[in-house]
Amino acid sequence: MKQPPQSPLTFAMTPWEKTFQEDGEAVLTASAALPRFSGGTRRAQSRLNRFYRHIGRCFQRRAARLARQAGAERSAARSRSRWFAPWQCALSTQVCQEGDALRVAWQVQDARGGSFSGAERWHLPEGTLERP
């Protein structure tokens, strides 16, 4: 029996932003934009969404750690009567279709000058992650 054609895999970027505060003053603003997939096979959609939800949770934990560091830095600055500028960190992603594969690149930048990035290549329609 012939299967009905599948709808193409599509995505929308899901934004997230949070301002962490200490004593009513902003110490860190964190923002992220991660893809949320729909269409395609249920298996591919589920795997991709689960993977990028995990990346998002890891980023949120990193932001919380940075906020604690920023709060300590703010307290130290205030004790020396110094000015404190709120920190920022961001997670950005790019999605591109490459034939029968999907490439998702991401980058994290934080206020302390830290930056790291990565990319994954997913084979469609099954949604398997390509291993190097």
Side-chain angles (χ1 to χ4, degrees), residues 30-34 55-56 58-60 62-63 65-66 88-93 105-119:
S31 61
L34 289 167
I55 296 286
C58 289
F59 176 74
Q60 289 172 358
R62 179 177 175 79
R65 284 192 306 271
L66 278 173
Q88 294 184 358
C89 64
L91 166 63
S92 58
T93 54
W106 52 270
Q107 180 175 22
V108 173
Q109 294 180 318
D110 66 42
R112 310 244 340 162
S115 177
F116 57 95
S117 59

Side-chain angles (χ1 to χ4, degrees), residues 36-101:
R36 174 123 177 99
F37 296 92
S38 59
T41 64
R42 180 177 293 269
R43 181 177 181 173
Q45 179 184 340
S46 173
R47 283 180 171 182
L48 289 160
N49 286 331
R50 185 173 45 245
F51 186 84
Y52 291 104
R53 271 194 313 271
H54 173 73
I55 296 286
R57 284 191 303 270
C58 289
F59 176 74
Q60 289 172 358
R61 284 192 299 271
R62 179 177 175 79
R65 284 192 306 271
L66 278 173
R68 287 190 295 276
Q69 293 173 2
E73 188 82 18
R74 177 199 163 273
S75 295
R78 293 290 184 251
S79 71
R80 295 186 312 268
S81 298
R82 303 271 186 211
W83 182 70
F84 174 79
W87 294 4
Q88 294 184 358
C89 64
L91 166 63
S92 58
T93 54
Q94 274 187 322
V95 180
C96 349
Q97 182 93 29
E98 297 175 343
D100 66 342

